[in-house]
Every structure is written in C-alpha cells, then in structure tokens.
Amino acid sequence: MTRRMLTALVALVGLFVALYLALYKAGVIGTLACGTGGCETVQLSRWAAFLGIPVANWGVAYFTVVFGLAFLATTERWSSSRGLDFSLWALTGWGVLFSAWLTYLELFVIHAICRYCVVSAVIVVVLYVLTHLEARVHLRR
Amino acid sequence: MGSNRMETGRGRGQAGVSAAQGGKRTFYMSIAVLLVGGIGTLSYMSTRPTGAGMIDSTIAPIPNQGHMIGSDSALVEVVEFGDFECGACGSFANLTEPDVRARLALTGVIRFRFMDFPLQGHPNTWPAHNAAWCAGEQGKFWEMHDAIFQNQDRWVTEATRKPRKVLDELARQTGVGMEQYEQCMITEKYRPQIQANAEAGMRLGVNVTPTFIIGGRRLPGALPYDEIKAIVDTMVAETRAAKGTKKAK
C-alpha cells in the first residue's frame, strides 16, 4: 500500500471521528450527561465554534477534503501530480497548527480534555507526517 | 543473454503490476470496511435509547409542567432541564440563577421554569428530585431547590450512599412539615411528574444538563447570565416588534 493510500485511509478514520463529534454537538448521538465531563465541557464552551460554525463541522469538511484529495492522488490520472501532494502537505500542515491551537485551548483555557479531540489531533499529525514524506520525494527530484 | 535479461525485466515488471493491483485491492477493501464499520457504528449510536434506564415504562404518561418563577404574562419563558446531582447544574443554580431570578424573572421580563431531568448515571438524584417535589407540595419547592444545590457536595453519590439523611435535614431547615414530607418521600408520590418532565426533555433532544430552552432554541450547558440576557433581550424585541406589526394591521 502506498503512502497516498494510507493518507486516504487515515483521513477516512478522521472523518468518522469528526462526524461523531458533529452529531454529538447536534444532539443526535451520545449518552445523556452532566455538563461537567471533559467532552461536554469542551463541546459546550464558546471555543467549540469557529466563525459561527461548530469546530466539529469544520472537522468533517476538513477530513472530507483531505480524503478526497488523497483518494484522487491514488488514481492513475493524478499519480504523478506534484500539485496534489503539495496541496495535501499544506492542508495537513494547516491542520496541525489548528489542532495545536485547539489543544492549547483545552489545556490552558477550557481546562478540560476531550479524548475524541485528542484522537482527531493525533490523526492530523499522522496525516502531516505521511504527506510530508510524499512531498519530500518531489523535492528531492 | 540479452533476451534473458529482457524476460527477467518483463517478469519483474509483471510482478510489480500485480503487486500494485494487490495493493489497490487492499486499499479499496480497507475503504469499504471503514465505511461499513463507521456508518454502522454511528447509526447504532444514534438509534440506541440513551435514556432507557431513566424512564419507567409502567408509569402512564401525564402532562409535564415543572416549577415556575415569574409572571405568566412575561414575554419570554426560560426553561431549564436540570439534574440535582449534576455539578454544572449546581454551579448554574448557585452562581447564575440568583441573577436570572432577581434581574429577569422577578422584574417581569421572563418566567423561569425548572424541569426535572434526572440522569441515569446519578444514583442519588432521584431522592433529591423527589425531595424537591415533596417540599413543593407544601409551597417550598424553590427553597428546597436552592438548599439541595447549595449542599450538593454533602449528598451526591461521591459523598454518601444514603442521601436521605442530608435531604431530610435540608427539608427540616426549609420549614417543611416533616410528617407529610415523609409520607410523600416513601410513596415517591411525584415520580410520574418528574418522569414526565424528563420525557419532555428527551423529546426536545436534551442530552446534557443543564440545557435551556429559550423561545424554541435548545441551548446546552451552564449559560452565563450575560448570554441569557442577550438572548432574552433579542426575543423581547422580536416579540414587541411582532405585536406592534399586528396592532398596526
């Protein structure tokens, strides 16, 4: 399996984690809970929205785009596309910065940790490593 | 030899192509497994009854009202779905609710309604909800509501397995007639009302406490006073504008 395929698969896992959080935020999913648990505190804080849209929804959109681009990169037509690899690299780099900001907020501002957010952040870092290695191949040529 | 080399090269090439095809097959299979697994898990989670342990299906449905502070003629109703054992509800009741009552409910801007939403993960919450209702039978609901939240650390599951001792003491302190209260507690007289409130919340999609319903909007979490005030102000302005439009017609 190639790195691009791995990128697509990891992004798909990230998409489902983000989808879970988005559905939880919408009240469709999740156990009944008091608003003092880690995930509840994070999800109910004012930081749970970015530009008026829940962060989880941004996550769904983000992982969908990464999955879509990585999947395209596995097809023969786009197999030698440098642009696609550099786009994925830039996108996952931005994702790492955004996740770092969210983790900072959890640790030092909200003072609560949501394990699904941590899983999502780890996935973003793995995606960055994979896309970085792929982009480096083009840089070496 | 050249021909042999070419054959070997072709052989390697064919091996490479079949390895690539094998890799693609594994890739597509993995995507299919992830899609089926992910969609299946999310579907299961969204359809399972989250409050099954909270609702006793043998109790017949009854109308739900909760307890109210403020005037019936107030333009906006703020409804709180709360659990007495929930820490977030406790901090709202102790830190924010006094302002909401004094500045919004008692000035006639809103009426504030407390609806029971006992969570299944809180074993001591039912006696507390029963105690509040039994005190309410004697006109002391809000006194008991406040006493229960102010002394939450003394009777919650982490503190004791026998919450009745503390709850009874609080009832006595709020001036509740203990004989009537005791009878009410033993028979769990208001369990159907408490359950009706919780069912109303579940129909509205409440899954976290506290959750506020303000003008049809579901707002989860212990909202700060300023946020409640801003929403209420918007709603009051909208209601007045709508009334003005009707009068003009």
Side-chain angles (χ1 to χ4, degrees), chain B residues 138 144 164-186:
Chain B
Q138 299 181 45
M144 191 64 181
R164 277 291 306 273
K165 195 181 165 194
V166 177
L167 293 170
D168 293 355
E169 184 194 319
L170 296 174
R172 199 172 292 112
Q173 285 169 2
T174 53
V176 168
M178 291 310 286
E179 203 173 315
Q180 189 182 336
Y181 166 86
E182 185 62 31
Q183 192 60 30
C184 174
M185 288 295 280
I186 289 170

Side-chain angles (χ1 to χ4, degrees), chain B residues 31 65 82 103 121 138 142 164 191 220 233-234:
Chain B
I31 285 184
Q65 291 182 333
R103 296 190 200 178
Q138 299 181 45
W142 290 104
R164 277 291 306 273
R191 194 176 179 93
D233 284 349
T234 310

Side-chain angles (χ1 to χ4, degrees), chain A residues 1 5 8-9 12-13 16 19-20 23-24 26-36 40 44 67 71 74-76, chain B residues 23-24 26-28 30-31 34-35 38-39 42 45-46 48 50-51 86-88 119 122 206-209 218 220-221:
Chain A
M1 207 177 297
M5 288 174 180
L9 290 176
L12 192 56
V13 174
F16 279 114
L19 208 52
Y20 171 82
L23 291 171
Y24 180 90
V28 179
I29 231 168
T31 50
L32 299 172
C34 163
T36 46
E40 286 78 21
L44 297 173
F67 171 72
F71 187 84
T74 65
T75 60
E76 274 183 37
Chain B
K24 278 217 158 177
T26 312
F27 173 58
Y28 291 133
S30 304
I31 285 184
L34 279 176
L35 280 175
I39 293 169
L42 291 179
M45 288 173 119
S46 63
R48 72 179 170 174
T50 49
C86 166
L119 298 170
H122 292 160
V206 173
N207 65 348
V208 65
T209 55
R218 184 166 53 86

